[in-house]
Amino acid sequence: GRLYAGGMPYDKTPGGAKLFRIAGQQIDVIDEHVTTSNGIEFTADGLLAYYNDTGTKQTDVYDVDAAGNLSNRRLFHKGDGGSPDGLAVDSEGNVWCAINRLGLARLYSPQAEILGQWKLPCPGVTAVTLGGADGKDVFVTTSKENADVAGSGAVFHMRAEVAGQPTKLYAY
């Protein structure tokens, strides 16, 4: 198994952090220039990794090789005035993304077309994940940071048409 973890510089210097791959006792730098790591998820076939760098206000996509190396980082979508935060990829390769500051949960196709958008009553949408018995329960978390309004700090629930991916196990 492999675990990926990203950093965030306290001074928010653009490109001032790194993205790491952890495999057992081995830690490798995968990307030398990230700003605020807030989400990474792989497609079911393991060939692509979507990555939210909140500081850049965009979601990028990487190609993934058999050794787990990430390459060819490129823009997947912009935050449209918000800051992409946590994300999830469903079993068909669609990307669920929390858009912080705009109070949105969005669903993108693999071609970055908006398939759905849900407005929450608070701006601090922080993460989206899929789970439940059939994988179609969508959970959206929110924060009270900078906006103590109704719904802030709550977890919202809805149902999806497409199931999420099975939970990935990590063991070293």
Side-chain angles (χ1 to χ4, degrees):
R2 298 180 195 107
L3 175 70
Y4 293 79
M8 176 184 89
Y10 284 109
D11 65 1
K12 299 183 181 179
T13 301
K18 294 176 175 49
L19 181 61
F20 302 93
R21 180 185 60 223
I22 303 163
Q25 301 298 316
Q26 179 86 19
I27 300 173
D28 296 304
V29 175
I30 297 299
D31 194 326
E32 296 267 350
H33 305 288
V34 301
T35 302
T36 306
S37 297
N38 263 331
I40 187 166
E41 180 67 82
F42 295 80
T43 54
D45 61 12
L47 297 177
L48 297 174
Y50 293 92
Y51 174 72
N52 278 347
D53 190 339
T54 302
T56 64
K57 299 187 183 317
Q58 66 187 44
T59 299
D60 293 328
V61 61
Y62 292 92
D63 295 320
V64 184
D65 68 19
N69 296 307
L70 307 182
S71 64
N72 191 27
R73 182 177 178 177
R74 59 204 177 273
L75 176 67
F76 178 66
H77 77 81
K78 288 280 197 185
D80 298 328
S83 300
D85 214 327
L87 64 84
V89 179
D90 69 24
S91 59
E92 292 183 0
N94 301 308
V95 181
W96 289 84
C97 189
I99 309 292
N100 195 293
R101 306 220 192 297
L102 296 183
L104 299 174
R106 276 201 188 136
L107 176 61
Y108 294 92
S109 73
Q111 294 75 37
E113 299 165 316
I114 298 174
L115 300 176
Q117 178 170 284
W118 297 266
K119 178 76 173 152
L120 281 81
C122 53
V125 179
T126 56
V128 181
T129 193
L130 294 112
D134 64 359
K136 293 183 178 181
D137 286 313
V138 180
F139 300 97
V140 182
T141 61
T142 63
S143 170
K144 284 189 168 199
E145 183 179 24
N146 300 324
D148 193 9
V149 299
S152 295
V155 177
F156 292 86
H157 173 263
M158 60 187 171
R159 294 283 292 165
E161 293 179 21
V162 176
Q165 298 181 52
T167 300
K168 295 173 179 73
L169 301 177
Y170 175 76
Y172 72 94

